[in-house]
């Protein structure tokens, strides 16, 4: 873990002092004007674009992230979110009138306005350590809050880079970075925040929510889980396999919305297996370990965990690993039993199990028997099947044809439901998440 101080002043500050300082800034009114907000967003955008090379290098050090992947997911996606917010913020912040003349007479006026919440905490994970810190940060700033961000200690090079860059670009009276692991996060969680935005696993999500309950602080929990993929017999299997492999094996499978497992009927499974093997070879060549387009597992603990899942079925492709290089081959497992080890936890690695089910009804039952996933994906040419998956299952998001693509669209809300989380963000929802929609009613006297 880096011990580089976030800023000379922040280094000496205890969490309580830091929160008091940021709260004083908020109380001063400095963060409320639209101009301040747009300036901070513009500066955050510059931080990302002007330091692209340094951030991509840090992501490579931490995760072996290929350059195109790091640039696209950790720089371009937040930039797109910021651009969308800059284009719409004035319109989103405009008070929304409500007609109350029928209740209070012609002179009465009413409406709603978005108030910033105050001083908020953003806790980010290691897998997309720039994106998952800067997109919530952009939402919190757009909403007019002061913010503490806590990068993940498991991506130490990226954490150090963000801790150095953020104070250089953003208003140091309003934004602070606190680096650290469990003790530092625990100390932050003891403070009184106006909102806590946490991205990571559900076990820590529970710790966050318990700590927040002490102060009745609202939380957004962006968690994970097993996101299923239903492949219909009528789907174009070569095209589906290409899209599936691309999504599953990006960042070596360490993506919260990665397709976790495939549900399909036995005959379709037989045809899908070779199509997936071909798609993996097309993407990464005969030896993915040599491919500049393939990433690595974040650390040895996760390497050992994912390695333990490789024997859960018949290997269609992959199955090899190299601990010294934290490399696990893109792996497809067929004929996987519903209770196999790989089906008992979120995989969060480059292993794609195929579980055979007896058609759509059985697939829907399989999904509904388990925790509500962060995403559900379908490959089908049948509109009735699409409608049934939409109506008869519950998931954070639902994607047909292009797994994971929904999170690239700022107009679409992003978040989980049930075990995959609560609340959401992106675009307007980011601003709403970090605001309170206040009712305002004005009934003239006399
Ligand atoms: P992580 O280990 O980096 O933890 C996330 C954050 O929690 C870090 O900042 C860490 O310091 C903090 N933390 C860890 N233990 C803590 C404790 N005991 N008390 C207080 N804070 C603590 O990341 P992770 O949880 O391994 O990330 C992977 C998980 O996150 C997966 O389940 C994945 O699906 C999920 N995820 C969800 C999203 C989403 O947008 N919904 C995005 C990425 C990852």
């Amino acid at each position: 873990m880096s011990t580089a101080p976030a800023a000379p002043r922040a280094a000496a500050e205890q969490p309580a002092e830091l929160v008091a300082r940021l709260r004083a800034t908020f109380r001063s009114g400095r963060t409320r004007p639209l101009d301040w907000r747009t300036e901070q967003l513009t500066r955050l955008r510059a931080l990302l674009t002007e330091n692209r090379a340094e951030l991509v290098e840090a992501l490579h050090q931490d995760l072996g992230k290929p350059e195109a992947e790091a640039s696209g997911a950790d720089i371009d996606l937040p930039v797109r979110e910021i651009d969308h917010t800059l284009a719409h913020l004035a319109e989103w912040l405009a008070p929304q009138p409500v007609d109350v003349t029928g209740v209070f007479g012609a002179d009465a006026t009413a409406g709603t306005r978005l108030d910033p919440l105050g001083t908020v905490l953003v806790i980010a994970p290691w897998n997309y350590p720039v994106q998952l810190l800067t997109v919530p940060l952009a939402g919190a700033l757009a909403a007019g809050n002061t913010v503490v961000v806590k990068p993940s200690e498991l991506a130490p090079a990226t954490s150090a880079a963000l801790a150095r860059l953020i104070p250089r670009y953003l208003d140091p009276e309003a934004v602070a970075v606190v680096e650290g692991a469990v003790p530092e996060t625990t100390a932050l969680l003891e403070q009184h925040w106006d909102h806590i935005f946490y991205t990571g696993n559900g076990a820590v999500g529970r710790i966050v929510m318990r700590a927040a309950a002490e102060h009745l602080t609202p939380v957004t929990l962006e968690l994970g889980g097993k996101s299923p993929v239903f492949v219909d017999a009528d789907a174009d299997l070569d095209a589906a396999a290409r899209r599936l492999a691309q999504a599953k094996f990006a960042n070596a499978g360490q993506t919260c919305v990665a397709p976790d497992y495939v549900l399909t009927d036995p005959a379709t499974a037989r045809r899908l297996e070779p199509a997936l093997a071909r798609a993996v070879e097309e993407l990464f060549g005969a030896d993915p370990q040599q491919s500049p387009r393939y990433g690595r597992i974040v650390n040895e603990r996760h390497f050992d965990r994912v390695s333990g899942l490789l024997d859960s079925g018949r290997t269609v492709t992959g199955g090899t690993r190299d601990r010294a290089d934290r490399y696990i081959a893109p792996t497809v497992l067929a004929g996987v039993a519903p209770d196999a080890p790989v089906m008992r936890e979120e995989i969060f690695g480059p292993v794609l199990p195929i579980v055979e089910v007896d058609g759509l009804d059985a697939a829907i039952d399989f999904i509904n028997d388990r925790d509500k996933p962060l995403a559900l994906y379908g490959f089908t040419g049948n509109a009735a099947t699409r409608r049934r998956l939409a109506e008869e299952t519950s998931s954070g998001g639902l994607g047909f044809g292009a797994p994971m693509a929904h999170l690239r669209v700022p107009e679409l809300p992003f978040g989980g439901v049930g075990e995959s989380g609560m609340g959401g963000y992106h675009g307007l929802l980011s601003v709403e998440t970090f605001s309170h929609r206040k009712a305002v009613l004005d009934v003239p006297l006399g």
Side-chain angles (χ1 to χ4, degrees), residues 123-128 132 150-154 180-182 185-186 189 198-202 204 207-208 222-225 255-256 301-302 346 348 374 414 420 425:
I123 304 175
W126 52 265
N127 61 335
Y128 290 85
L132 297 174
K150 213 296 287 172
S152 175
E153 71 280 14
L154 298 185
V182 176
T185 316
T186 305
L189 287 172
Y198 168 79
T199 304
N201 67 74
V204 177
I207 294 173
V208 169
E222 295 285 343
L223 310 178
T255 307
C256 57
R301 183 169 65 80
H302 279 282
E346 179 182 1
F348 224 59
L374 186 56
F414 183 74
S420 56
Y425 70 132

Side-chain angles (χ1 to χ4, degrees), residues 272-318:
L272 182 63
E273 291 163 18
L276 280 167
R278 280 195 300 276
V280 168
E281 185 159 353
E282 260 172 47
L283 282 171
F284 307 114
D287 181 5
Q289 191 165 8
Q290 307 306 323
S291 168
R293 295 203 302 274
Y294 189 63
R296 294 295 182 267
I297 305 299
V298 64
N299 57 28
E300 272 146 21
R301 183 169 65 80
H302 279 282
F303 178 90
D304 293 339
R305 183 185 62 74
V306 179
S307 295
L309 306 176
L310 291 173
D311 296 330
S312 297
R314 175 166 49 82
T315 306
V316 172
T317 184

Side-chain angles (χ1 to χ4, degrees), residues 81-142:
E81 278 283 333
I82 291 170
D83 287 344
H84 179 75
T85 304
L86 284 169
H88 295 281
L89 190 56
E91 148 211 340
W92 292 342
L93 295 178
Q96 301 292 310
V98 170
D99 183 1
V100 288
T101 52
V103 185
F104 296 107
D107 294 341
T109 56
T112 65
R113 46 167 297 133
L114 289 175
D115 277 352
L117 293 173
T119 300
V120 304
L121 173 64
V122 172
I123 304 175
W126 52 265
N127 61 335
Y128 290 85
V130 178
Q131 178 197 140
L132 297 174
L133 185 134
T134 54
V135 176
L137 171 60
L141 292 171

